[in-house]
């Protein structure tokens, strides 16, 4: 039996990669905005940072599920 190529699109590993890309994009955008001559208003900047933090939390949780630490 052959796996559907679309199953891989929904895999946890794929989700983790997508979140990592989005996190990196947000990092770059936040850095760019900070150096911009026309910075975003405080509320918009806080929303970007909050989204970045939420992504980091999701990534950490998914990494823990995918690669649990062995007990010492």
């Amino acid at each position: 039996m052959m796996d559907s190529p679309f199953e891989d699109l929904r895999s946890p590993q794929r989700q983790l990669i997508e979140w990592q890309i989005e996190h990196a994009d947000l990092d770059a955008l936040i850095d760019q905005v900070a150096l911009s001559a026309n910075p975003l208003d405080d509320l918009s900047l806080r929303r970007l940072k909050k989204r970045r933090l939420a992504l980091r939390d999701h990534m950490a949780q998914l990494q823990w599920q995918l690669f649990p630490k062995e007990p010492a």
Side-chain angles (χ1 to χ4, degrees):
M1 183 170 138
M2 200 157 175
D3 289 335
S4 165
F6 297 108
E7 287 179 25
D8 191 47
L9 295 177
R10 295 191 185 103
S11 74
Q13 291 86 357
R14 173 90 180 198
Q15 182 65 60
L16 183 59
I17 291 168
E18 289 177 6
W19 284 341
Q20 289 170 334
I21 291 169
E22 186 177 353
H23 186 272
D25 289 346
L26 280 171
D27 256 350
L29 179 60
I30 290 168
D31 288 346
Q32 182 181 2
V33 164
L35 299 174
S36 173
N38 299 322
L40 287 177
D41 61 281
D42 285 342
L43 180 60
S44 297
L45 187 58
R46 275 187 297 192
R47 286 179 176 161
L48 288 175
K49 289 181 177 182
K50 188 173 183 178
R51 174 67 183 154
R52 181 180 62 179
L53 183 59
L55 280 170
R56 189 169 57 204
D57 290 345
H58 290 313
M59 290 185 304
Q61 183 178 16
L62 187 55
Q63 284 175 332
W64 184 82
Q65 290 173 355
L66 291 173
F67 314 108
K69 301 263 190 235
E70 302 260 339

